[in-house]
Amino acid sequence: MRGSLRTIREPLDDFRRLRELVRSSEKIVVISGAGISVSAGYPTFEDMRKSKKTSFNRSLYSSSDEIIGFHSTVRGMCERLHSDLTEPSPFHKVMDELARTRPHFRHYTQNIDCVERLLPDLDAKTIRLHGRVDQARCGICNWARILKGKRSLNIGRLRPNVLLYGEPHPDDKEILETARHDLRICPELVLIVGTKLGIPGAQSIAADFCHAARSVGGASFWISKEELMWSVKSLCDYVLIGDCDKVIPLDIFKMSN
């Protein structure tokens, strides 16, 4: 029923409605978080915070120990990206197929791992809300350069192009312009995948797209292994508790209607 929230838990439902919409919709927006990259070998931000080895708070640059830990984490993620260890997750490959075949597809991600770089069609349709590990940005002139993961960062000049908690995004204007453009198109299907939407900016973007889809009779789905927060529960029409790699398998594009 339009406007109501329906929670489906694997394996009680075969997710037929979602899979039919993924196959048939031409205008699709995906808003993703760290959950989509776990099977690609990347830890979630929550896991990194719990380890207490890495801080993502803007205050970290007042502590040399936290700077070293943060830069080491980012450098390790960058080195993994440029190695043979990283394989895009099944869900990344699903999005790449959508990016290749749908005229209006967009991927907004809170992830900084840049796994999308391994899939050119998806990479071209990806907007990174929180920065990227494969770039460093000058703290003075805001110029960004590509990192190869081969040397340490020069503290005081370049820093990872990663958004820390409490910081404004240096590319905020471009992100908002892209979001406004996509909202004018009005997506038929919105997928919020592998994220709790705990960051206000991402939650606001998700709310706008869910409302836009609802206004044209479309649908929005929350897909995660974890329960969603009550503060964002009203955004989605469906909540699917399960593994995104299994909820939307790549072979759905070969299935007949």
Side-chain angles (χ1 to χ4, degrees):
M1 184 179 295
R2 174 61 46 224
S4 65
L5 184 72
R6 183 180 173 196
T7 301
I8 304 174
R9 298 175 187 277
E10 196 176 22
L12 300 180
D13 191 275
D14 66 357
F15 306 103
R16 183 177 301 169
R17 169 69 171 159
L18 171 62
R19 292 169 182 172
E20 288 175 351
L21 286 172
V22 170
R23 288 199 301 270
S24 64
S25 298
E26 297 293 316
K27 304 174 184 179
I28 301 175
V29 168
V30 177
I31 301 164
S32 72
I36 71 167
S37 291
V38 171
S39 62
Y42 288 90
T44 66
F45 282 109
E46 186 173 351
D47 289 338
M48 286 189 281
R49 286 200 301 270
K50 287 180 178 179
S51 72
K52 298 182 179 180
K53 293 180 180 180
T54 305
S55 170
F56 286 93
N57 193 288
R58 64 187 304 178
S59 64
L60 71 84
Y61 278 98
S62 62
S63 166
S64 59
D65 288 341
E66 290 191 19
I67 291 173
I68 292 171
F70 174 58
H71 285 188
S72 176
T73 296
V74 171
R75 187 165 59 250
M77 294 176 73
C78 186
E79 288 172 347
R80 182 181 181 87
L81 178 66
H82 288 90
S83 75
D84 295 330
L85 296 175
T86 298
E87 170 72 17
S89 72
F91 187 72
H92 280 100
K93 294 177 182 178
V94 167
M95 289 194 294
D96 188 55
E97 178 68 14
L98 292 173
R100 187 180 65 82
T101 60
R102 300 302 187 268
H104 300 290
F105 172 83
R106 189 80 71 186
H107 174 219
Y108 291 84
T109 186
Q110 299 170 83
N111 297 342
I112 61 174
D113 51 52
C114 297
V115 173
E116 299 83 10
R117 278 188 50 180
L118 304 176
L119 300 166
D121 290 311
L122 175 59
D123 191 45
K125 298 289 186 70
T126 293
I127 302 297
R128 295 180 174 85
L129 301 177
H130 296 162
R132 50 193 304 162
V133 297
D134 63 344
Q135 286 184 350
R137 187 177 291 274
C138 177
I140 298 175
C141 70
N142 207 32
W143 176 75
R145 55 158 284 190
I146 298 294
L147 289 178
K148 298 299 182 182
K150 295 181 179 180
R151 60 181 176 183
S152 299
L153 299 174
N154 188 351
I155 297 172
R157 293 187 179 182
L158 292 176
R159 52 157 283 186
N161 190 14
V162 173
L163 190 68
L164 301 176
Y165 293 114
E167 286 187 321
H169 199 296
D171 300 322
D172 189 56
K173 182 178 179 181
E174 290 82 355
I175 291 173
L176 291 175
E177 287 178 352
T178 301
R180 291 191 188 105
H181 171 270
D182 293 341
L183 283 167
R184 286 194 294 270
I185 294 173
C186 275
E188 305 161 271
L189 177 62
V190 176
L191 306 178
I192 302 173
V193 188
T195 174
K196 293 181 178 179
L197 284 184
I199 305 300
Q203 186 179 137
S204 177
I205 288 175
D208 288 342
F209 280 117
C210 288
H211 293 154
R214 194 171 289 175
S215 73
V216 294
S220 55
F221 288 77
W222 174 291
I223 305 169
S224 178
K225 291 182 178 180
E226 302 180 76
E227 294 280 0
L228 75 170
M229 298 184 298
W230 280 100
S231 61
V232 295
K233 195 168 186 178
S234 63
L235 294 183
C236 302
D237 299 305
Y238 298 90
V239 174
L240 308 184
I241 306 299
D243 186 336
C244 63
D245 291 336
K246 298 177 181 178
V247 170
I248 313 178
L250 186 60
D251 62 8
I252 65 166
F253 298 105
K254 300 177 182 178
M255 297 177 183
S256 62
N257 291 328

